[in-house]
Amino acid sequence: MSSETLLTVGFDLDMTLIDSRPGIKAAYQALSAETGTFIDADEAVTRLGPPLEQELAHWFAEAEIPAVADRYREIYPAHAIGPTPAMPGAREAVRAVRALGGRAIVVTAKHEPNARLHLAHLGIEPDAVVGWLWAEAKAGALREYGAQVYVGDHVGDVRGARAAGALSVTVPTGPCPEPELREAGADVVLADLTELPAWLEEYARTRTA
């Protein structure tokens, strides 16, 4: 199969492949204790998806954000990796791509080294991981790898998929409910990743028919 026809499926990370709420909550609590600045960690984890700096703007002055963001990323592995589980069906979804002879890539807004730590800890093994990309910016990586499908949980993921000319497959397992995903232009909404292997098999069949 040529690189032009190789089935390539992109995945978002937070709230798509991993339930990062427990870990991110712990990291925010640690950051709050260290800086002495109040952060409502329970509220913060309801807004996962956009870049870290957008969330920190709720709690810190603009001038403080770059240094605080760097510190958050430094302490993140010690607090966030262990408590974070895989989403139901995550491992099976990635394996399903491989079973069809394709490749799976992760394209995420998360700090790439921390994204890799999560995946390694959970035994999820994509073919490539690209970090630091949010919404439309994800399109560059998706096009680079020739992704025909991008799977995510956020309207930002829908925008990234559409900007890349990829099929937007979504799961309402993050902050965006199904109606919001559909309104944003999602091509497919699955209940969760446990439904992806069957959908992907049908997609691959019709794609090569």
Side-chain angles (χ1 to χ4, degrees):
M1 187 176 285
S2 71
S3 59
E4 287 76 18
T5 58
L6 175 67
L7 174 64
T8 301
V9 178
F11 291 89
D12 176 51
L13 184 64
D14 287 357
M15 303 312 299
T16 299
L17 288 175
I18 66 172
D19 184 351
S20 49
R21 291 172 297 185
I24 289 177
K25 178 179 177 179
Y28 276 132
Q29 288 172 331
L31 184 69
S32 178
E34 183 176 301
T35 61
T37 298
F38 173 73
I39 300 172
D40 187 334
D42 289 308
E43 181 180 343
V45 298
T46 68
R47 295 190 285 249
L48 299 184
L52 168 66
E53 287 79 3
Q54 290 189 27
E55 181 59 40
L56 293 178
H58 291 282
W59 315 108
F60 293 90
E62 184 177 354
E64 298 177 292
I65 290 174
V68 172
D70 285 345
R71 183 56 183 155
Y72 173 91
R73 293 182 178 112
E74 288 172 0
I75 67 174
Y76 186 95
H79 297 280
I81 304 301
T84 297
M87 294 295 281
R91 296 180 184 87
E92 294 82 0
V94 172
R95 291 178 194 142
V97 179
R98 294 244 181 74
L100 292 167
R103 63 181 173 182
I105 64 171
V106 172
V107 182
T108 174
K110 190 179 286 298
H111 181 50
E112 189 174 308
N114 288 340
R116 291 180 180 277
L117 288 174
H118 275 299
L119 293 164
H121 178 73
L122 295 171
I124 300 172
E125 301 177 345
D127 296 282
V129 180
V130 184
W132 296 95
L133 298 177
W134 162 242
E136 288 84 356
K138 295 185 175 190
L142 294 172
R143 285 194 298 264
E144 178 185 349
Y145 284 92
Q148 299 92 2
V149 176
Y150 186 58
V151 184
D153 68 282
H154 199 284
V155 294
D157 300 323
V158 177
R159 285 156 41 201
R162 294 179 70 85
L167 199 70
S168 172
V169 177
T170 57
V171 285
T173 51
C176 301
E178 179 176 347
E180 189 175 350
L181 295 168
R182 291 196 182 279
E183 185 178 350
D187 297 295
V188 178
V189 182
L190 305 175
D192 57 34
L193 286 183
T194 64
E195 295 186 356
L196 186 70
W199 177 88
L200 197 59
E201 189 173 342
E202 180 62 23
Y203 168 78
R205 184 183 303 115
T206 57
R207 178 173 169 262
T208 57

